[in-house]
Amino acid sequence: MSTTEPKRRGRRPNGADTKEALLTAAREVFAEQGYEAATVRVIASNAGVDPAMVNHWFGGKEGLFIAAVQIPVNPVEILRQVLDGPREQIGERIIRGFVTTWDGVGGGQFAALMRSVAGSEQAVSMLREFVQNLLFRQLIKSLDVDHPEMRVALCGSQLVGLGMARYVVRIEPLASAEPDVVAATIGPNLQHYLTGNLDL
């Protein structure tokens, strides 16, 4: 008869919160391996919990990543929204959605994320993974354009730069401009990065 006990569900024996243990393990694994290579089984093993807890708390790997990186948006939902409309206005829809989302949580959450990035290579890796792989690489793939990696990098620089200017450095009048104004003025530049001629 086996003496091996099954992994406990819920709270771990030492009283640590299972959810927090998963988030801690996820940040480490995602930062080291990237989103695609990371597996729920490895994350759960590192956290010392049953893999089923990932679905229980986060609904799967994607939900766990979003919670771990502390970004209040779902990349699948973003892609669905920005692709729902004229191709030539995707840039404006992305900027409007970005500003509306972060304005909705006061902007402080983006500032906190940037402070984390400044002091943590792990946070840098996870933000890069979100912006490049989960957001823009998937979008660029669906647009079927040339120079995909350069476009991903340029789009990422535009979005992160906008966030820094509006929520961290708070450069006026950009910091207090209405989302529609920001979308109308910056959207065309992002659109060029997405679908325009890069002349490389």
Side-chain angles (χ1 to χ4, degrees):
M1 183 174 175
S2 174
T3 58
T4 302
E5 294 185 5
K7 286 183 179 177
R8 296 175 182 266
R9 297 177 183 269
R11 294 189 176 275
R12 302 163 77 201
N14 64 4
D17 187 342
T18 299
K19 188 175 181 180
E20 288 304 314
L22 281 168
L23 287 170
T24 298
R27 291 182 185 113
E28 294 172 356
V29 175
F30 284 132
E32 291 172 2
Q33 300 181 13
Y35 179 81
E36 292 298 330
T39 67
V40 166
R41 186 171 297 279
V42 168
I43 293 169
S45 176
N46 287 7
V49 302
D50 191 308
M53 289 293 96
V54 172
N55 283 331
H56 173 73
W57 285 109
F58 305 100
K61 186 171 84 165
E62 183 177 271
L64 176 58
F65 182 88
I66 293 168
V69 79
Q70 297 179 315
I71 290 180
V73 289
N74 184 320
V76 173
E77 183 64 19
I78 292 173
L79 291 176
R80 186 189 67 77
Q81 291 177 0
V82 301
L83 290 172
D84 183 19
R87 178 185 172 100
E88 64 274 13
Q89 294 174 5
I90 291 176
E92 287 192 31
R93 290 197 295 276
I94 290 175
I95 297 297
R96 185 178 293 104
F98 176 84
V99 172
T100 301
T101 296
W102 288 108
D103 281 6
V105 293
Q109 202 168 334
F110 187 92
L113 177 62
M114 289 299 99
R115 283 193 289 273
S116 297
V117 167
S120 168
E121 182 57 37
Q122 183 185 81
V124 169
S125 177
M126 292 193 68
L127 179 61
R128 183 169 54 241
E129 191 74 16
F130 178 86
V131 172
Q132 288 188 321
N133 294 337
L134 268 71
L135 185 55
F136 283 116
R137 187 161 284 122
Q138 296 302 316
L139 176 58
I140 294 295
K141 187 184 300 183
S142 71
L143 295 175
D144 190 27
V145 289
D146 60 358
H147 308 298
E149 291 306 307
M150 178 60 79
R151 292 181 190 276
V152 167
L154 290 170
C155 289
S157 72
Q158 182 73 76
L159 216 58
V160 173
L162 170 59
M164 286 290 292
R166 186 173 174 92
Y167 303 114
V168 181
V169 185
R170 298 195 60 79
I171 298 174
E172 293 292 359
L174 177 59
S176 57
E178 291 297 317
D180 284 345
V181 173
V182 180
T185 52
I186 298 180
N189 196 45
L190 183 60
Q191 185 71 39
H192 177 73
Y193 292 157
L194 288 167
T195 60
N197 181 13
L198 296 184
D199 197 25
L200 298 180

